[in-house]
Amino acid sequence: MRFAVLVFPGTWSDWDCVYALEDLGETAERVWHRETSLDEYDGVILPGGFSYGDHLRCGAIARFSPVMSALERFAATGKPVFGSCNGFQILCEAGLLPGILQRNASMQFRCQPQQLSVERVDSGFTNACESGQIVQLPVSHGEGQYFAPPQVLDELEDAGRVLFRYHAENPNGSLRDIAGILNPAGNVLGMMPHPERASDALLGGTDGNFIWRSIIEHWG
């Protein structure tokens, strides 16, 4: 597969995503936010970072970058779109996923290993996982508390669109322990933890590869 890894001013985990995908034998290219077409790619990654310095709200300015119109068209084709941390925030700000990410309940920046429960294994992002599996990925954010109105939360639950939950500990106060959600079509995933930072044993774990391998197996 050929992946586009979007880069906004302030993005910092783009090279981590490129490394994780290339290490699995895929092609990954960094794409500057001023590009207006993503037609030549098979998948799009929105990495973590501090786009535009997190001014206004995290992801609020990046949402207006030229590449976002191309991303909306790309997502409508059914191809995979994945955003971690700031990427999740941008997807929510752009309306590709519901809800918002707000200040951590602790009012502290949290950077730590985090256990997650895999809620479904029949999605294009988790098919390499086993039922009931717990994975460990790092979190690194100050505004990762997922919030949505009760009706939206119920819709996510009823449709099976909550893909990951925080397990044993909730590091940011996210409602219903939500760590990652899907769009209705199931081809857009946003999550606060960083699989790209858990894709090499030298980094302390490889559980992030469950997500990358799932994408490759499902859409490759």
Side-chain angles (χ1 to χ4, degrees), residues 96-110:
L96 289 170
L97 291 173
I100 61 170
L101 284 307
Q102 58 186 15
R103 194 74 177 162
N104 292 348
S106 65
M107 302 300 289
Q108 298 174 336
F109 189 94
R110 291 295 175 89

Side-chain angles (χ1 to χ4, degrees), residues 58-120:
C58 298
I61 300 178
R63 178 262 177 278
F64 293 102
S65 289
V67 77
M68 294 304 295
S69 294
L71 182 64
E72 292 179 14
R73 295 192 299 270
F74 183 91
T77 69
K79 295 178 181 179
V81 175
F82 171 65
S84 67
C85 199
N86 189 227
F88 185 16
Q89 295 162 341
I90 294 170
L91 289 172
C92 288
E93 290 289 338
L96 289 170
L97 291 173
I100 61 170
L101 284 307
Q102 58 186 15
R103 194 74 177 162
N104 292 348
S106 65
M107 302 300 289
Q108 298 174 336
F109 189 94
R110 291 295 175 89
C111 185
Q112 63 194 52
Q114 179 65 49
Q115 290 187 332
L116 307 172
S117 62
V118 181
E119 299 295 292
R120 289 177 51 191

Side-chain angles (χ1 to χ4, degrees), residues 166-209:
Y166 297 111
H167 178 75
E169 177 188 3
N170 184 329
N172 49 40
S174 288
L175 297 181
R176 306 194 189 182
D177 298 325
I178 290 175
I181 60 172
L182 295 168
N183 70 334
N187 68 307
V188 178
L189 167 64
M191 63 188 301
M192 285 310 296
H194 290 270
E196 73 277 8
R197 294 172 66 176
S199 299
D200 191 308
L202 288 174
L203 298 177
T206 59
D207 281 0
N209 286 334

Side-chain angles (χ1 to χ4, degrees), residues 128-144:
C129 299
E130 297 181 0
S131 181
Q133 184 170 350
I134 304 297
V135 297
Q136 181 167 286
L137 305 177
V139 295
S140 181
H141 57 252
E143 297 185 36

